[in-house]
Amino acid sequence: PVPYITFHGVPDSVTTTKDHMNQNGTIVEIKLNELGFRIERPLPSRKPPEETRVFVLGSSTIFNGIPLEMSIPGQIETCFHDNGRDNVKVYNFGFVSSVSGQELSLLVHLLSSYEPDAVIVYNGGNDVCLPTNFDPRPGYPYNFFAYESAMRMIHQDVANGCFRWTLQGEDLRYDLGELRASCAWGTEKWEMDIAVKYVENTLKMGRFARGCGFKLFAFLEPILFLKEPL
């Protein structure tokens, strides 16, 4: 959990994943840096004069890829270097299950302090998919109702002087049906609200980029796993 962004990777941690490039599905370790992202080189806030700095934002589509060079940011950097642009450094700021609103917050509250020359945003899949099965409200982070429920309990504990702090799973009560009804889940209006929220977040990123003097490139990722037939 982190302020404003809601969540991202645990700083200075190691996580494991399957190597989907390997037929045997080998389990491999992925290291996260002091900011909680999959970056294996130093990232000083003051950019070296000779460096062209590119940040790539998105969810698991950006985060994944074994080794790091096979992630989308890694392959973008390879393309630059193959074309003689060794000064271009591309950084992987993908974090699993993120939506565009969280990436907007990440850009505003953290990444703008690191002097990017360009930011590539490759997202939209979770904006569309997560409301279908998890928190149904357009634009909300993954299962945000759990955060809301927990915070309500903690506030109540503090108000009552109980300081119970230990939250049990059964305590995190929420009515998914009620949440779905509140946002007209499954209707055309709900689908349009999802699209509008995504577009609004992307436009805000563009305005912020212009104000800060870096370029923004936004791509709507193809949501192939929802297509029938595949």
Side-chain angles (χ1 to χ4, degrees):
V2 290
Y4 310 112
I5 303 162
T6 310
F7 60 81
H8 60 52
V10 178
D12 292 316
S13 68
V14 176
T15 185
T16 58
T17 187
K18 278 188 178 181
D19 181 359
H20 295 288
M21 306 295 290
N22 188 315
Q23 291 183 350
N24 297 326
T26 307
I27 302 297
V28 295
E29 290 187 345
I30 292 179
K31 295 181 179 179
L32 305 184
N33 72 350
E34 68 278 5
L35 297 175
F37 294 94
R38 196 178 172 199
I39 297 171
E40 295 180 351
R41 62 164 65 98
L43 179 58
S45 57
R46 180 66 65 183
K47 181 180 59 180
E50 70 280 2
E51 179 181 331
T52 297
R53 184 170 280 184
V54 180
F55 295 161
V56 185
L57 279 63
S59 58
S60 55
T61 308
I62 296 302
F63 179 87
N64 288 332
I66 306 296
L68 182 58
E69 289 74 20
M70 289 301 295
S71 69
I72 289 177
Q75 293 184 64
I76 293 172
E77 181 172 288
T78 297
C79 287
F80 276 113
H81 293 182
D82 287 347
N83 285 276
R85 294 292 305 275
D86 292 339
N87 62 314
V88 177
K89 307 297 182 186
V90 182
Y91 298 85
N92 188 329
F93 278 100
F95 59 111
V96 178
S97 297
S98 66
V99 295
S100 61
Q102 290 172 275
E103 292 147 14
L104 170 61
S105 295
L106 176 67
L107 185 60
V108 171
H109 290 286
L110 179 64
L111 302 191
S112 57
S113 300
Y114 286 83
E115 301 184 343
D117 294 289
V119 172
I120 300 171
V121 185
Y122 184 84
N123 62 0
N126 283 342
D127 287 72
V128 172
C129 299
L130 292 184
T132 303
N133 296 312
F134 303 100
D135 194 315
R137 293 168 290 185
Y140 274 61
Y142 169 74
N143 278 353
F144 189 74
F145 51 69
Y147 284 77
E148 288 180 310
S149 182
M151 290 305 298
R152 279 195 295 268
M153 289 193 59
I154 290 174
H155 290 164
Q156 188 63 40
D157 278 354
V158 172
N160 293 336
C162 299
F163 302 102
R164 186 159 52 95
W165 300 120
T166 302
L167 297 176
Q168 304 298 324
E170 60 269 20
D171 292 332
L172 299 179
R173 297 187 181 93
Y174 58 88
D175 187 332
L176 187 57
E178 185 177 311
L179 273 181
R180 287 178 171 179
S182 71
C183 62
W185 182 82
T187 64
E188 288 188 13
K189 177 186 181 303
W190 173 77
E191 293 177 348
M192 183 58 69
D193 288 344
I194 289 173
V196 167
K197 180 60 68 174
Y198 169 75
V199 171
E200 286 179 348
N201 289 334
T202 304
L203 291 175
K204 288 174 184 176
M205 290 186 199
R207 296 188 190 106
F208 182 74
R210 285 194 294 273
C212 292
F214 61 83
K215 294 183 180 296
L216 182 90
F217 301 88
F219 297 88
L220 175 63
E221 62 181 315
I223 313 170
L224 299 180
F225 57 88
L226 291 182
K227 302 297 183 181
E228 290 290 347
L230 289 175

